[in-house]
């Protein structure tokens, strides 16, 4: 049936009903509550799990300036918006919010800014041409060892996310002051976070389409399975629901396209391409381009390559060095990795190395990819493949702890196998099903998630 036929039938086949009073009032009160909640959350929020404060409007402005965009003066508007929210004046807040968004749309790059003088890859092909990929290494995916390493990878992600969720949004100094070294959960752990949400959506798309999976396939899983996101993911979801496809889902009205959201979901791309660095990177690019661009996508590529090669490279420091070397310092992301690695090589301990990185990237939001990529490098270098030590370091660094910990503990766990993770970390998380905020699966048994991953790899291993 054509659309005009459907609307014709609605007009011609529906009989009017005689009414004595207006029964279809336009009550917008619930709609206004929802809209007010959304705009308030953009201006002031507390991170679920850690209660750390965040202001996405400030983060959006900050992100554009980080990339070398010139903005008209906004300080008075930013202050006034906070004041309007504090007194509950939503009418004024909407006006200020609109003005700042207009201002951000009008921003233009400064060609003399250091960030603008770096390379931002516009496509997978452009990035791929710059990399000397290591040769693929065959992994026996049908044996028990591969299944255990896949299980370990998911355990590492769950433990890292659970340990880090209570700590994200705080500095290394304040974490040490309050908790000391992180050698146990600082609160009762759970699996309710966004760290594996988008990875599960990718896994479903990959299980269906294999290595031919597209950004459109992943976008369909996002819109059908995931009700909400944060920063770049929230904008991408809104763009998908407006009918956009990647890469426009990531590049349209998105100041957060180089934040951590893609970097936090790279491990699954490596887990489904064991031993294949280039293929893991290609899958990560496809997935990353749903919500991120340029350096934001490189963050996902970095973690995907680490996870893929963890199946065949058991020396964590060598794996880190070899992976960092793949990223040209012509890109800003490559520069971040190189700076962090140099700090590790020249400083005596992780605290000193991190202090250098923290000072270098102090102007970046704690959710931005750059300081968190540096945090991963520091933790992997000084953790030296020891699961507990790596966890202690990455959690002690602070910033976006759950995203960082989930990704790199996945890598270390793949290298070492599930036996390397103490039961005191895993038992609380495996007492019941994994709980998500997704429409489906709202809950999923851990063994089912592992089986889905292993089965998908085995199904598509010849591609």
């Amino acid at each position: 049936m054509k659309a005009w036929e459907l609307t014709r039938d609605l007009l011609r086949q529906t009989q009017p009903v005689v009414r004595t009073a207006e029964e279809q009032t336009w009550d917008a009160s619930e709609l206004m509550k929802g809209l007010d909640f959304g705009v308030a959350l953009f201006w002031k929020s507390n991170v679920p799990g850690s209660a750390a404060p965040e202001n996405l409007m400030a983060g959006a402005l900050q992100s554009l300036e980080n990339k070398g965009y010139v903005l008209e003066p906004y300080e008075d508007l930013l202050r006034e918006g906070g004041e309007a929210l504090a007194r509950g004046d939503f009418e004024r807040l909407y006006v200020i919010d609109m003005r700042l968004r207009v201002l951000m749309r009008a921003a233009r790059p400064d060609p003399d800014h250091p960030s603008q003088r770096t390379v931002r890859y516009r496509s997978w092909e452009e990035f791929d041409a710059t990399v000397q990929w290591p040769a693929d290494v065959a992994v026996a995916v049908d044996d028990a060892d591969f299944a255990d390493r896949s299980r370990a990878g998911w355990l590492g992600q769950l433990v890292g996310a659970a340990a880090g969720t209570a700590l994200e949004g705080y500095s290394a100094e304040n974490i040490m002051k309050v908790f000391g070294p992180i050698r146990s959960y600082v609160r009762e752990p759970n699996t309710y976070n966004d760290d594996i949400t988008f990875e599960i959506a990718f896994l479903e798309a990959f299980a269906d389409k294999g290595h031919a999976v597209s950004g459109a396939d992943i976008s369909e899983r996002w819109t059908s399975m995931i009700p909400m996101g944060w920063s770049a993911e929230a904008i991408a979801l809104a763009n998908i629901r407006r009918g956009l496809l990647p890469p426009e889902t990531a590049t349209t009205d998105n100041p957060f396209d180089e934040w951590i959201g893609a970097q936090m979901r790279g491990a699954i791309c490596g887990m489904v391409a064991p031993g294949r660095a280039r293929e893991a990177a290609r899958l990560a690019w496809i997935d990353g381009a749903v919500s991120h661009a340029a350096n934001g996508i490189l963050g996902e590529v970095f973690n995907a390559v680490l996870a893929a090669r963890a199946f065949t490279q058991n020396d964590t420091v060598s794996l880190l060095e070899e992976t960092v070397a793949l990223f040209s310092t012509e890109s800003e992301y490559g520069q971040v990795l190189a700076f962090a690695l140099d700090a590790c090589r020249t400083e005596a301990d992780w605290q000193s190395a991190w202090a250098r990185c923290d000072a270098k990237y102090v102007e970046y939001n704690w959710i931005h990819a750059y300081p968190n990529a540096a945090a991963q490098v520091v933790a992997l270098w000084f953790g030296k493949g020891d699961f507990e030590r790596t966890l202690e370091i990455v959690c002690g660094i602070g910033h976006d702890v759950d995203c960082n910990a989930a990704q790199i503990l996945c890598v270390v766990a793949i290298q070492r196998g599930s036996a390397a993770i103490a039961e005191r970390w895993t038992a609380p998380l495996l007492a019941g099903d994994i709980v998500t905020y997704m429409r489906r699966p709202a809950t999923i048994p851990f063994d089912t998630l592992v089986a889905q991953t292993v089965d998908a790899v085995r199904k598509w291993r010849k591609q």
Side-chain angles (χ1 to χ4, degrees), residues 234-263:
I235 292 170
L237 275 168
N239 285 334
I240 291 167
R241 288 164 183 161
R242 290 170 50 213
L244 276 66
L245 289 174
E248 286 79 12
T249 49
T251 58
T252 303
D253 296 330
N254 183 7
F256 307 111
D257 61 359
E258 293 189 339
W259 279 24
I260 201 175
Q263 189 168 282

Side-chain angles (χ1 to χ4, degrees), residues 65-399:
E65 291 183 317
N66 290 152
K67 290 191 289 187
Y69 280 73
V70 178
L71 299 167
E72 292 297 320
Y74 60 78
E75 292 85 348
D76 289 344
L77 285 172
L78 189 61
R79 173 188 50 77
E80 190 179 348
E83 293 170 352
L85 177 61
R87 66 176 181 268
D89 186 353
F90 280 93
E91 188 172 341
R92 184 60 182 163
L93 180 59
Y94 278 107
V95 171
I96 296 168
D97 188 89
M98 182 197 77
R99 289 180 180 175
L100 283 171
R101 292 175 189 271
V102 170
L103 184 149
M104 286 190 285
R105 275 179 160 269
R108 293 292 179 267
D110 173 7
D112 294 325
H113 190 280
S115 183
Q116 289 294 318
R117 295 200 298 267
T118 62
V119 172
R120 280 184 163 82
Y121 302 111
R122 294 165 294 181
S123 67
W124 160 250
E125 291 76 16
E126 186 179 335
F127 170 67
D128 185 36
T130 70
V131 184
Q132 283 289 120
W133 296 106
D136 290 350
V137 179
V139 174
V141 300
D142 289 319
D143 65 17
D145 179 69
F146 173 72
D148 179 72
R149 287 173 181 259
S150 299
R151 183 176 191 273
W154 278 120
L155 283 175
Q157 290 203 56
L158 291 178
V159 170
T165 294
L167 301 166
E168 61 177 328
Y170 298 107
S171 68
E173 292 78 10
N174 287 333
I175 289 173
M176 178 60 71
K177 186 184 302 181
V178 174
F179 297 112
I182 305 302
R183 293 167 183 163
S184 61
Y185 291 118
V186 301
R187 60 145 214 219
E188 184 177 352
N190 62 61
T191 63
Y192 198 82
N193 54 60
D194 63 353
D195 294 281
I196 65 169
T197 296
F198 294 91
E199 290 188 302
I200 291 174
F202 171 86
L203 178 60
E204 288 225 356
F206 179 84
D208 185 33
K209 297 294 182 67
H211 296 271
V213 69
S214 68
D217 297 324
I218 298 167
S219 297
E220 288 180 356
R221 264 57 180 203
W222 279 35
T223 190
S224 62
M225 298 168 64
I226 304 174
M228 61 183 182
W230 190 247
S231 62
E233 287 72 42
I235 292 170
L237 275 168
N239 285 334
I240 291 167
R241 288 164 183 161
R242 290 170 50 213
L244 276 66
L245 289 174
E248 286 79 12
T249 49
T251 58
T252 303
D253 296 330
N254 183 7
F256 307 111
D257 61 359
E258 293 189 339
W259 279 24
I260 201 175
Q263 189 168 282
M264 79 173 180
R265 56 184 197 262
I268 184 59
C269 299
M271 291 174 70
V272 300
R276 303 173 63 188
R278 181 179 181 273
E279 179 59 12
R282 189 186 69 85
L283 292 172
W285 192 284
I286 292 169
D287 183 74
V290 176
S291 57
H292 287 68
N295 295 295
I297 299 176
L298 292 185
E300 181 160 356
V301 170
F302 178 60
N303 283 336
V305 173
L306 284 172
R309 298 198 66 233
F311 285 93
T312 59
Q313 168 58 281
N314 289 326
D315 186 298
T316 305
V317 172
S318 295
L319 171 61
L320 174 65
E321 291 179 312
E322 293 161 4
T323 304
V324 169
L326 299 176
F327 293 79
S328 168
T329 53
E330 290 186 355
S331 74
E332 203 166 33
Y333 194 84
Q335 292 175 5
V336 172
L337 296 178
F339 181 89
L341 191 58
D342 179 71
C344 292
R345 288 169 171 163
T346 56
E347 299 295 337
D349 53 45
W350 75 261
Q351 291 90 344
S352 301
W354 171 246
R356 278 183 58 187
C357 296
D358 194 23
K360 175 75 171 178
Y361 301 109
V362 68
E363 293 185 10
Y364 290 83
N365 195 281
W366 64 267
I367 310 177
H368 197 283
Y370 294 176
N372 291 293
Q376 289 189 189
V377 170
V378 171
L380 284 170
W381 178 274
F382 288 97
K384 300 190 184 304
D386 181 277
F387 187 90
E388 300 257 347
R389 180 60 175 159
T390 305
L391 186 154
E392 179 182 331
I393 295 170
V394 75
C395 286
I397 284 173
H399 279 57

